[in-house]
Amino acid sequence: MPNCHKQFTVYQLPVHDSTATSQLRSDGIYASEHTREVLCFQPNGLVKAYPLCIPDTGFWTDPSLTISIIQSRYEPYKKEDWGAYTVLADTLKLQRFNYHQTEVCKRSVFDYRGVVLNDTTLVITSKIAYWFDDTATTGHFVYRFYPTDFKPDDSRIWFEKKRWYLRNRDPSRAK
């Protein structure tokens, strides 16, 4: 069995460094303008992704519809689709796990790179799915902040009690 989490390394870096120009907000969600994905950032460096949750009509047509889809279909309290992020200067590095029951690697790492423009806008410029892809998808994927009371439950993240995570986690990520 391959080591499917060896590409997951962002958790070893601080949540943000002293040169970070903006910090990501945790009092809402970041909705993509170009894909159907929503990201929820936590102050402790954890991130929850909700892929394919934005309806075809787009997020901004009716934000409450996307939030209800997340709450009803995407099981916000489940342990999957979590990852970690870091903001170094204005550079965002985000890695998350994706669960596929039929693959050799049940949890593959998705790696996003981009820029934090300010606390309400981020741009992903590169995405790669380790184990599935060998080249990055590049583009200009804008995510905009939307304030909401909705919060994913980060108490059941599958990797949070694993020895490899606890042993190598940056101290800024402790709860």
Side-chain angles (χ1 to χ4, degrees), residues 25-72:
R25 294 179 62 174
S26 61
D27 59 337
I29 59 177
Y30 286 82
S32 173
E33 292 183 351
H34 303 98
T35 66
R36 296 179 58 207
E37 181 174 58
V38 167
L39 299 172
C40 297
F41 294 91
Q42 304 290 333
N44 62 358
L46 295 172
V47 61
K48 173 83 170 181
Y50 294 97
L52 304 174
C53 70
I54 298 176
D56 292 337
T57 57
F59 177 79
W60 298 105
T61 305
D62 185 4
S64 64
L65 178 59
T66 299
I67 293 168
S68 70
I69 289 171
I70 289 171
Q71 291 173 322
S72 64

Side-chain angles (χ1 to χ4, degrees), residues 78-140:
K78 72 178 187 174
K79 62 184 181 177
E80 304 299 342
D81 294 314
W82 281 95
Y85 72 92
T86 185
V87 178
L88 307 171
D90 66 347
T91 301
L92 171 67
K93 296 179 182 179
L94 182 154
Q95 293 179 321
R96 70 172 183 85
F97 286 97
N98 192 45
Y99 185 75
H100 283 283
Q101 197 172 38
T102 60
E103 298 292 333
V104 174
C105 272
K106 301 266 186 260
R107 292 183 176 106
S108 59
V109 176
F110 283 38
D111 194 315
Y112 300 54
R113 302 299 163 115
V115 178
V116 179
L117 298 180
N118 53 51
D119 68 342
T120 60
T121 309
L122 61 99
V123 178
I124 302 296
T125 55
S126 171
K127 294 181 182 182
I128 189 167
Y130 293 112
W131 190 254
F132 298 105
D133 299 332
D134 56 359
T135 57
T137 301
T138 57
H140 192 83

